[in-house]
Amino acid sequence: MEIPIVNFEGYTLEESNISSEDLQKLCNSLKTAFTNVGFVYLKNTGITQHEVNEVMNISKEFFDLPAEMKLPLSRSTYSDPNHGWVSLERERLNPQRPGDLKEAFNTRLLQSDIKWPENVPGFREKQVSFFMRCKDLSLKVLKLMGRSLGLDPDVFVSAHKCIGTDKNGTTLRTLYYPPVQSDHAKEGQLRCGEHSDYGSITLLFQSPEGGLEVLSRSGEYISAPYIPGTALLNIADLMQRWTSDVFISAIHRVPLPPPGNSNTRQSLAFFVHPDDEVLITCCDGSNKYPPINSVDYLMERFKESYGRQTQDSSTSSSIQEFASSHRSASPGPSSSSQPLSSISASTRSSSCRSPDVDWADNFNIPWKKFPEELIQFLERGKRPSPQMRREMVRIVVCDMMQKSLHISKRHTTVVAKNIVAKYPKSLQDVVTGDMIGSGYDSLVKELQNRIENTKHSTTAKMRKRKLHTESDTDEMPPEKTAAIQDTYGCIKWDLKFLPLGETAESQQGSREKLQSLFKLNAPNQDLIKQLTRATFYTQRKDINNGKEIKYLLEDWPFLFDEIGMAIHFEELTGVSLKETFIRNVDLTGERLLNYMKTVAVAKSKRFLQAVAKIQLMRGEHTGSSEDVMEMVLLLLSYFDEKKDVMFSYVEDTCLAGEVQMDQVPLTPTIIVCGQSCYSARRWMLSVDRIIVQDSIPSFISALCLMFGSFYCFNIHYPAGLASTLEFLQRCFFSINPEKGTKVEKTRTSCLHVNNRVLTLIQDLSEWRTQ
Ligand SMILES: O=C(O)CCC(=O)C(=O)O
Ligand SMILES: [Fe+2]
């Protein structure tokens, strides 16, 4: 099956001189496409490829800005939650997968008196004028859609009167998909997860790399390639509901590019929504679905892609994951391996529930957690593949085990029966068309097997964990302890072999090239990245053999620079240094600040005073960089740690050679050129009492370079910063080892995860704001 191409000639944005015969033909082709595939290419719409390219080019200028310049434009900073920048991996369109490998900017508010990217002149104008072009085209299509169903041609149009105002959620989204190194992607991660769109219709324009795939009615993904000069249009969920499933909203996705393909990708999506207060009632009068208010429906759907409803959507996933994985290790009445989000709910209800007897009858099948693809199969009465069925069983059992750890066959039978009752066509036991047994015996068996397996795997894990802890004793020889700490959080600490095709000579050649690039005024950044990646093996060898910082600085100058360190750090830990940090600040920073200033202050007078002092120092300084400073200062005070082990202060005009090095710690230290972080405009970094960077223009960069240095150069966290650094590591740099620590070995310290950090992470993730 292919996506049809329909010619809009004669009905373009500029002309409407179409004969009634051609108009009817146009309506018929659209209807066929919308009922069979849900997607259609429109050619000759009046929106030209040139217009599309212009919007993509200006968008690319925005996406190329350093992350900290985009942070102040985050979605969370606008009055409208659907306007603004969405950072990489922030959104998961398929909630079962890790965050999508895409960045986006949504234009929902059009006025000029709000924040727009300052450094990209013309950005707002280009987005807004393209928004208007897409609006006009959408209204034309909506009119044809009404007509094609034999209804009043205005039936849909009249529900979209307010596009572009605050009474309508229609949004233009420009998307950027950075190059992907498939070996760095998380398991199951895609560029854009499987989903269907929420509103009425969507217009889509892709860059020439293509990559979009659409799930066909027969259950296979078909490619939706780039066709120059066309607009790809698809039906969204609310329209499917509106037309009582006559028009279909197809699932689509953007998979990762094939290994070795380092293409980027861009797209523009114009999501058309009905006006907020419109009541969507099945247009054929069938009442197949109850009437629903447009905005209520959409709000519900948005919540799903920014975190499941059960969890507080402002908590970062790394906190959630870490807190839940460690809860099971701490003993207590409810210490099963429940995900964090379910704990409070199940303990709350347990006091008023008669134990175990009837939970299964009231058990809510977690339909919402089923993958979209499975739901699509069930809804269409198709039999899911064995793999989909296993996934369904896994999801259901996971929820059942949160209700009770003693699940009897009766419980499983009740649940299986309820599942099969809803989708008999897809799930009943049948042999050549006849139902066999009760119709749900296989599902009962599958659920029971899964429950048994899950129980076994939890006990095995607990036993293993205990063994590990026993081996983490203070008896370990110091070299072994140091080696564990050096490799802490790393995935490629030491490489056994040179990359294929590389020799000692070629590595030497690349190193010399890097050295000469370092001397240039504006060296080619891509070349630096490529050469740094290619020589990672030799860099690691030099570092692990103990080469001193001053020689590393001569041999690998870019290692101490933002680009080079980012590449080295990413190879070493699998984490992109600054991007991850900025994303987590976007997700969790505000929450941390609020928690510190409302909850934590109430617990300690000392901390209350420290917070007042930090706020006084901040004064009128606003901005996201300042928020990060405040966050770090608050953490240092909260843990009662040593600020002067992280920061040294010098005059704002001080040169690298003038810094009094004997005052500076040996560990990576941020040298603040000014009286406070807030008033400073320049920072330096010292490692081993050597200034390795003398002109860092932003606090966030300085913090990332300081943090990255601990990992890249095998340096242990100083005891005086143990908790602050581990908290930053887990919550903001997403490095979450299950065990161990990177804190220097002192007589009293041991190799365990820091309890204070753990407690703060859990308090923070459980804290519910009003
Ligand atoms: O980038 C694309 O082509 C797909 C984007 C998409 O489907 C969406 O954001 O809803
Ligand atoms: Fe989509």
Side-chain angles (χ1 to χ4, degrees):
M1 186 189 277
E2 280 194 354
I3 299 170
I5 305 179
V6 167
N7 193 350
F8 243 55
E9 214 165 356
Y11 199 68
T12 66
L13 285 178
E14 282 73 30
E15 52 178 343
S16 285
N17 53 353
I18 187 168
S19 69
S20 60
E21 195 185 330
D22 285 346
L23 187 61
Q24 197 48 47
K25 269 199 210 147
L26 186 55
C27 289
N28 291 348
S29 338
L30 289 177
K31 185 176 174 189
T32 311
F34 294 151
T35 42
N36 292 339
V37 195
F39 269 74
V40 67
Y41 286 100
L42 305 178
K43 70 174 185 190
N44 299 318
T45 59
I47 295 183
T48 63
Q49 189 59 46
H50 177 71
E51 284 175 78
V52 173
N53 294 347
E54 282 203 325
V55 186
M56 286 195 182
N57 290 343
I58 201 146
S59 303
K60 179 74 177 13
E61 279 183 45
F62 169 74
F63 291 119
D64 282 345
L65 292 175
E68 68 250 55
M69 291 175 96
K70 295 181 275 190
L71 189 62
L73 301 159
S74 278
R75 271 175 68 239
S76 54
T77 65
Y78 288 94
S79 60
D80 187 296
N82 204 25
H83 182 98
W85 181 54
V86 180
S87 55
L88 196 72
E89 292 184 297
R90 172 70 177 91
E91 199 177 70
R92 40 181 93 192
L93 284 185
N94 177 348
Q96 310 288 329
R97 294 189 181 274
D100 293 341
L101 280 171
K102 62 169 199 239
E103 256 184 72
F105 188 93
N106 294 341
T107 298
R108 156 70 187 91
L109 305 171
L110 307 182
Q111 62 267 38
S112 53
D113 59 352
I114 55 166
K115 278 177 295 179
W116 289 95
E118 276 170 21
N119 300 306
V120 187
F123 183 86
R124 182 189 89 89
E125 290 69 17
K126 280 261 155 37
Q127 305 291 334
V128 170
S129 70
F130 194 68
F131 184 109
M132 289 306 178
R133 297 284 283 163
C134 290
K135 168 184 165 180
D136 292 347
L137 179 58
S138 307
L139 291 175
K140 287 196 107 171
V141 176
L142 284 166
K143 193 156 191 153
L144 294 178
M145 286 167 64
R147 197 186 283 274
S148 77
L149 288 170
L151 302 168
D152 172 356
D154 281 333
V155 61
F156 300 128
V157 178
S158 61
H160 292 83
K161 287 199 192 106
C162 305
I163 294 184
T165 74
D166 60 359
K167 296 185 180 62
N168 179 296
T170 297
T171 303
L172 172 64
R173 157 174 273 206
T174 172
L175 289 131
Y176 174 65
Y177 299 85
V180 180
Q181 278 195 298
S182 35
D183 55 340
H184 282 177
K186 303 193 176 84
E187 196 181 332
Q189 194 165 31
L190 298 185
R191 275 183 151 171
C192 171
E194 294 84 357
H195 68 284
S196 47
D197 296 344
Y198 311 153
S200 28
I201 54 174
T202 305
L203 287 175
L204 192 81
F205 305 86
Q206 311 179 68
S207 60
E209 296 80 14
L212 181 70
E213 292 183 351
V214 176
L215 188 67
S216 70
R217 280 206 125 162
S218 54
E220 295 104 45
Y221 276 97
I222 54 175
S223 140
Y226 160 74
I227 304 183
T230 60
L232 185 57
L233 188 140
N234 65 283
I235 299 293
D237 296 343
L238 201 46
M239 181 58 79
Q240 171 165 337
R241 182 179 170 123
W242 210 341
T243 61
S244 311
D245 300 328
V246 173
F247 289 168
I248 56 170
S249 163
I251 289 177
H252 48 285
R253 66 177 182 192
V254 181
L256 296 187
N261 176 331
S262 57
N263 279 344
T264 57
R265 167 190 159 78
Q266 278 186 262
S267 64
L268 307 173
F270 187 67
F271 300 109
V272 181
H273 294 179
D275 300 337
D276 289 352
E277 296 312 326
V278 169
L279 197 66
I280 307 295
T281 309
C282 290
C283 65
D284 58 359
S286 67
N287 261 341
K288 185 167 180 184
Y289 299 100
I292 190 164
N293 185 280
S294 158
V295 74
D296 292 345
Y297 175 85
L298 294 165
M299 289 315 288
E300 203 46 41
R301 294 296 306 271
F302 278 129
K303 269 198 227 156
E304 287 169 24
S305 50
Y306 288 98
R308 308 296 289 174
Q309 282 142 284
T310 44
Q311 86 194 19
D312 188 325
S313 57
S314 60
T315 313
S316 86
S317 54
S318 74
I319 293 194
Q320 289 281 349
E321 278 158 25
F322 183 71
S324 59
S325 70
H326 277 73
R327 177 178 302 283
S328 52
S330 65
S334 58
S335 69
S336 67
S337 54
Q338 297 171 344
L340 177 65
S341 51
S342 67
I343 298 260
S344 51
S346 60
T347 38
R348 212 183 307 121
S349 58
S350 61
S351 55
C352 55
R353 199 177 62 205
S354 59
D356 258 14
V357 183
D358 53 7
W359 68 263
D361 299 299
N362 301 324
F363 177 70
N364 284 329
I365 316 284
W367 305 112
K368 280 201 162 161
K369 294 186 186 165
F370 288 12
E372 285 280 351
E373 196 178 354
L374 171 63
I375 288 288
Q376 191 90 343
F377 269 59
L378 298 176
E379 288 286 342
R380 292 179 186 177
K382 286 181 48 148
R383 295 188 76 78
S385 65
Q387 195 190 0
M388 284 186 205
R389 208 171 147 114
R390 274 199 297 277
E391 176 67 2
M392 175 179 81
V393 167
R394 198 188 59 71
I395 294 168
V396 173
V397 166
C398 180
D399 271 34
M400 287 172 78
M401 292 188 76
Q402 283 166 25
K403 292 280 169 213
S404 169
L405 287 175
H406 308 285
I407 302 175
S408 67
K409 181 154 182 206
R410 190 189 83 77
H411 295 134
T412 333
T413 309
V414 173
V415 172
K417 192 171 162 187
N418 288 338
I419 296 177
V420 174
K422 175 137 189 215
Y423 296 109
K425 248 177 114 181
S426 306
L427 299 171
Q428 231 162 26
D429 296 335
V430 281
V431 175
T432 57
D434 291 330
M435 188 177 90
I436 49 160
S438 63
Y440 44 80
D441 294 338
S442 313
L443 189 56
V444 172
K445 215 173 268 156
E446 285 162 333
L447 290 170
Q448 284 196 303
N449 286 344
R450 173 73 199 168
I451 291 164
E452 278 309 301
N453 287 341
T454 312
K455 276 189 191 156
H456 284 150
S457 66
T458 356
T459 32
K461 212 188 277 159
M462 278 159 68
R463 211 173 297 133
K464 242 197 273 99
R465 190 172 286 144
K466 195 141 175 283
L467 275 177
H468 276 307
T469 346
E470 275 161 6
S471 66
D472 291 346
T473 62
D474 287 345
E475 308 299 309
M476 210 182 282
E479 323 79 69
K480 197 161 171 206
T481 318
I484 291 180
Q485 293 183 289
D486 286 350
T487 54
Y488 177 85
C490 298
I491 55 166
K492 262 198 239 167
W493 188 76
D494 191 22
L495 297 179
K496 292 218 164 22
F497 304 105
L498 269 167
L500 220 61
E502 286 282 334
T503 59
E505 291 72 44
S506 68
Q507 294 274 297
Q508 170 74 3
S510 303
R511 196 185 69 180
E512 282 163 13
K513 247 187 241 156
L514 279 167
Q515 286 169 341
S516 41
L517 281 170
F518 192 73
K519 296 191 186 112
L520 300 181
N521 255 343
N524 178 335
Q525 311 253 321
D526 288 334
L527 187 59
I528 299 169
K529 288 184 193 167
Q530 187 201 325
L531 291 168
T532 307
R533 218 182 278 287
T535 48
F536 176 72
Y537 170 93
T538 310
Q539 293 160 31
R540 275 318 312 157
K541 288 282 172 245
D542 280 358
I543 296 164
N544 293 346
N545 287 335
K547 194 175 252 189
E548 283 178 38
I549 293 292
K550 65 174 178 205
Y551 297 119
L552 286 174
L553 191 58
E554 281 169 20
D555 288 353
W556 304 103
F558 279 115
L559 248 185
F560 299 86
D561 169 279
E562 276 201 272
I563 327 174
M565 188 184 290
I567 301 285
H568 188 98
F569 187 85
E570 194 180 341
E571 291 285 323
L572 181 67
T573 62
V575 172
S576 54
L577 185 60
K578 199 157 158 194
E579 281 73 20
T580 306
F581 180 74
I582 299 242
R583 190 174 66 243
N584 285 327
V585 168
D586 183 23
L587 276 172
T588 317
E590 201 185 338
R591 184 182 183 82
L592 176 66
L593 288 177
N594 290 338
Y595 177 86
M596 289 289 177
K597 289 189 237 170
T598 55
V599 183
V601 283
K603 292 187 187 166
S604 140
K605 202 161 160 214
R606 180 194 61 76
F607 186 60
L608 177 70
Q609 284 164 350
V611 171
K613 224 166 119 191
I614 291 169
Q615 280 183 313
L616 193 68
M617 188 159 64
R618 176 164 180 174
E620 300 297 308
H621 293 279
T622 53
S624 32
S625 215
E626 285 73 7
D627 284 345
V628 173
M629 292 169 197
E630 184 162 353
M631 210 176 74
V632 176
L633 295 175
L634 286 173
L635 283 170
L636 285 163
S637 291
Y638 178 86
F639 291 121
D640 203 4
E641 293 193 321
K642 301 198 163 47
K643 295 182 187 57
D644 53 1
V645 184
M646 189 179 285
F647 302 111
S648 269
Y649 294 85
V650 297
E651 293 278 310
D652 51 2
T653 51
C654 181
L655 300 174
E658 295 165 1
V659 182
Q660 296 275 319
M661 287 322 283
D662 51 344
Q663 311 289 324
V664 176
L666 274 166
T667 45
T669 307
I670 297 176
I671 314 279
V672 184
C673 305
Q675 289 194 328
S676 85
C677 280
Y678 297 116
S679 60
R681 289 287 158 268
R682 180 171 65 100
W683 290 264
M684 302 189 214
L685 178 73
S686 85
V687 180
D688 258 4
R689 294 211 177 107
I690 293 173
I691 301 289
V692 293
Q693 264 298 333
D694 63 357
S695 186
I696 308 170
S698 91
F699 178 75
I700 293 181
S701 300
L703 189 71
C704 290
L705 283 167
M706 182 270 293
F707 183 82
S709 299
F710 283 102
Y711 286 78
C712 296
F713 308 120
N714 298 342
I715 300 169
H716 303 171
Y717 298 159
L721 294 177
S723 302
T724 306
L725 287 174
E726 184 166 333
F727 185 86
L728 288 174
Q729 161 214 317
R730 294 194 181 275
C731 282
F732 289 96
F733 291 98
S734 298
I735 298 181
N736 271 320
E738 279 254 335
K739 58 193 265 299
T741 170
K742 199 173 168 60
V743 182
E744 64 181 337
K745 189 92 169 79
T746 62
R747 214 170 293 156
T748 49
S749 72
C750 52
L751 281 177
H752 294 317
V753 173
N754 182 323
N755 255 331
R756 301 192 65 199
V757 172
L758 199 55
T759 308
L760 177 58
I761 291 175
Q762 283 184 352
D763 288 350
L764 198 56
S765 70
E766 281 166 7
W767 180 49
R768 295 270 177 272
T769 43
Q770 292 316 304

